[in-house]
Each structure stands twice: as structure tokens, then as C-alpha cells.
Amino acid sequence: GGGGGSAYVAPVETPVVTPVVSTSAVASATLTASTGGSVSLTDSSESLTVPAGAVNADTAFSITPTTSYTAPTKTTLVGGQAYDFKADASGTSVKNFTTKDLTMTFTYTADQIKGLNESTLAVYYFDTTFNKWIKIGGTIDKTAKTITATTNHFTLFAIMGEEVVASGSLVKIKCDSTNKDICAAVYYVGSDGKRYVFPNEKTYKTWYSDFTSVKEITAGAMAAYKIGGNVTYRPGMKMVKITSDPKVY
């Protein structure tokens, strides 16, 4: 593995995430402006907490699980479903909450995140103007298997995560205008789940002829892999000797 200098990298199958679609029915409740309250799906996969004063009048809130959504391009929906949040006050749709934020708590299972890096889980919402998913983030509780985030508007929401990088992969952070000083570094993911550093390009070239197999991941996904050490020169690729000694090694 990793920094041990082994020339053989065992093939690893690409993780497959099997959607576990909830059969929970629509959850709805009418909450008063003065006291607020909460709405939860029967399977506890999602709950919404509305603080007192978040709305100006008694409002009917609902959460609808749905499998009808635009698929993300670089992440995977946890559970294979999104959640449609709606609010209605006396026949008027309420989409924005300018006074106080509402709290969403999503619950997931080990089976639902199989093949995903749990540390990369985050809440996303679908932006209908730009037709894409936008990351909110959230606080992950790995023990309780929940992720909590706040919002001041309603649309489709979902939990998403990035796939676990297979052992033997080459990875680097995707470059943008904020990380050009660190995004060039390439790492080897060892069988111990740690990343190993190539000290320089010469070391890298003893193992690989080019950079075509390097996979770009987010900074958050990279941070989940602790540094395990340095990758050494590939055995049998270089000959060395000491100036004062005629022997070659």
C-alpha cells in the first residue's frame, strides 16, 4: 500500500450506491405564527422545525418525498430521493422566510451511504433559475446519522455525498481561483484509506508515465483522507552509487 513502494496495484471495483427509496407519505401540519412547531415524515428521514415568529400567520407546512428530480452530475443523492418543501397561508404560497431561518434535519442509514464518503455529506437545494443543485452544507452527526441545516426559502432539498475513492487511485484537488497554490499536488490512495505524497515529479514518473489517470475531487473529500507518508521511488527503476565507492546499487 501507499508509501511502501509496492509495484502492484490491485484492481478495485467502482463502488455502487443502491438507492433506498422511502415509502413515507407526505407530512403536513398547520403551525401558528406565535408558537411555531415541527413537521416530520413518518420514517423520520426528514423533519422541519419552524421557530415562533418565522411566519406572520397560521401556515400549513408540508414535506413530500419525491424521486422526480434533475440528477446531480458530481454527487449522489442519499436514499435516491429529494424532498419538496411547501408552505401555504390562507391559500397563498409562502416560499421565503425573511424573519427567522427554519431548521431541517435529515436522517440517513448505513445502507443508504454505502460507497459514499460520509464526511462529504451535505444538504443541497435545487435552484430553479439556474437549473442546478446548490450546496448548503450542514452539521453531520455520524453517531446519530443525521445532518442538520437551516434555510430561509423553500424548494427541493436533498442530502448528497461523494463516492469513496478506491484504493490505488491517484487524486488531486480540483483547481479554481482560490486554491491554485495547492491544487497541483497529486496523491496516491493506499489500501489503508490514507493518501500518500509524491515528493516530486521524478518520483511520480517512476510509477506512472503521465497524469491521465488522476481523479479530481473536492477539497472536502480530500481532507477526509489523512496523509500516511511519502511515496518512494519504484524499486528497480534507478541505480545509485556513492562517489567514493565503486559499487552501484
Side-chain angles (χ1 to χ4, degrees), residues 2-49:
S6 173
Y8 174 70
V9 179
V12 179
E13 292 184 0
T14 302
V16 176
V17 180
T18 303
V20 181
V21 179
S22 170
T23 57
S24 180
V26 177
S28 62
T30 298
L31 306 179
T32 64
S34 59
T35 60
S38 62
V39 185
S40 300
L41 292 172
T42 56
D43 64 357
S44 300
S45 60
E46 212 297 316
S47 64
L48 173 72
T49 301

Side-chain angles (χ1 to χ4, degrees), residues 37-40 44-51 61-63 82-86 97 100-107 122-126 133-141 146-159:
S38 62
V39 185
S40 300
S44 300
S45 60
E46 212 297 316
S47 64
L48 173 72
T49 301
V50 181
F61 289 86
S62 67
I63 308 170
Y83 302 88
D84 189 8
F85 287 73
K86 291 183 178 179
F97 306 90
K100 294 182 180 180
D101 288 346
L102 282 56
T103 301
M104 304 174 293
T105 301
F106 298 84
T107 302
V123 177
Y124 289 72
Y125 75 86
F126 190 73
W133 289 96
I134 305 295
K135 181 179 179 180
I136 296 178
T139 301
I140 303 171
D141 185 332
T146 62
I147 179 167
T148 303
T150 59
T151 184
N152 60 7
H153 72 285
F154 274 178
T155 180
L156 278 180
F157 292 87
I159 316 176

Side-chain angles (χ1 to χ4, degrees), residues 61-106:
F61 289 86
S62 67
I63 308 170
T64 305
T66 177
T67 56
S68 178
Y69 54 80
T70 299
T73 56
K74 297 181 180 179
T75 53
T76 300
L77 263 74
V78 173
Q81 68 179 8
Y83 302 88
D84 189 8
F85 287 73
K86 291 183 178 179
D88 182 275
S90 300
T92 301
S93 177
V94 181
K95 290 185 176 293
N96 298 295
F97 306 90
T98 57
T99 307
K100 294 182 180 180
D101 288 346
L102 282 56
T103 301
M104 304 174 293
T105 301
F106 298 84

